[in-house]
Amino acid sequence: ILKNKSKNKYSDEDLSLKVDSLFLKFEEELTNKLYQTSSIEKIDNFKNEIIQIKNAVETKSIIKCFYNDKNREIYPLKILNLEGFWYLIIYEPNDNKIKTFHLNTIKNIEVLHCNFRFDEEKINSFDNAISAYYKPNNKPILVQLFIDSKVSRYFLRKPLNKTQRVLKTYDDESCDVELTITDYMEIIPSIQRYLPFIGVIEPDELKMKVKENVEIYLKRFEWWSWVTY
């Protein structure tokens, strides 16, 4: 009730920010007592900016900010945590592109009294993002993976994204899964994390990219071993 009232048009101008800040403290206290979040990027020094951005996302307000050595005017679309890091999904009218900004790197935030409209389907598509390499404008890529029984339970408990489905389960509890991605780099780090207990069935291009990365690693490792020896 308090959060809803604070966003009422008859409320004091700064009440919403104060209420959001208060609730953020409550949520943090509750979270820290229930489970470990050490693998999540800390935002302790960025709380005020987070509240500004959250309000801008909710009210669909355009914001000005400084990011990567450049002043920008952007549409804040969605806040996401990907692989433990916080990101703001934005649309930049200047070059007509959807981009992923590292949240803690955004500076000098100013919420403008201007609203924007954007395709909700495009915004919601980021729910399928595995990593910051997600590219909503790319043609979807269908991927099939073999998951060894030693790690299959992890993929079944926590699918890589919402499109993941099991194609086949073997007697030893290994399985084949299928999912859709938008860029090979979106999934390559996840595949390499579980080597050698995961294999690419298709597409062949993804299979070759992972193979090339393994070969580069082995060459570097052999060189380093020779130098240290």
Side-chain angles (χ1 to χ4, degrees), residues 146-148 150-155 158 160 187-199:
F146 168 77
I147 315 293
D148 189 274
K150 291 183 176 64
V151 298
S152 60
R153 61 185 178 277
Y154 304 122
F155 287 82
K158 187 177 181 296
L160 287 171
I187 197 172
I188 284 174
S190 297
I191 293 172
Q192 294 177 170
R193 187 179 301 135
Y194 285 96
L195 289 175
F197 305 112
I198 187 170

Side-chain angles (χ1 to χ4, degrees), residues 132-150:
Y133 288 99
Y134 182 81
K135 303 290 191 301
N137 293 323
N138 284 4
K139 184 179 178 182
I141 304 168
L142 198 63
V143 171
Q144 289 185 10
L145 303 173
F146 168 77
I147 315 293
D148 189 274
S149 59
K150 291 183 176 64

Side-chain angles (χ1 to χ4, degrees), residues 82-83 126-131 143 145 147 154-165 177-181 186-191 193-194 198:
L82 299 171
E83 300 182 313
F126 274 89
D127 292 340
N128 291 326
I130 298 173
S131 71
V143 171
L145 303 173
I147 315 293
Y154 304 122
F155 287 82
L156 297 177
R157 288 174 187 167
K158 187 177 181 296
L160 287 171
N161 68 17
K162 290 183 177 181
T163 69
Q164 179 181 306
R165 67 188 185 100
V177 301
E178 180 183 78
L179 68 153
T180 302
I181 61 171
E186 189 184 347
I187 197 172
I188 284 174
S190 297
I191 293 172
R193 187 179 301 135
Y194 285 96
I198 187 170

Side-chain angles (χ1 to χ4, degrees), residues 63-106:
I63 64 175
K64 281 185 177 180
C65 65
F66 186 75
Y67 186 80
N68 279 0
D69 301 321
K70 186 178 177 182
N71 288 308
R72 302 168 186 267
E73 191 169 296
I74 60 172
Y75 298 2
L77 305 178
K78 196 178 188 75
I79 296 174
L80 281 182
N81 188 284
L82 299 171
E83 300 182 313
F85 293 94
W86 291 102
Y87 295 95
L88 176 64
I89 310 306
I90 68 102
Y91 169 74
E92 192 163 17
N94 188 46
D95 56 7
N96 192 30
K97 288 183 180 179
I98 298 176
K99 302 176 183 179
T100 306
F101 284 6
H102 178 230
L103 201 57
N104 280 359
T105 314
I106 304 171

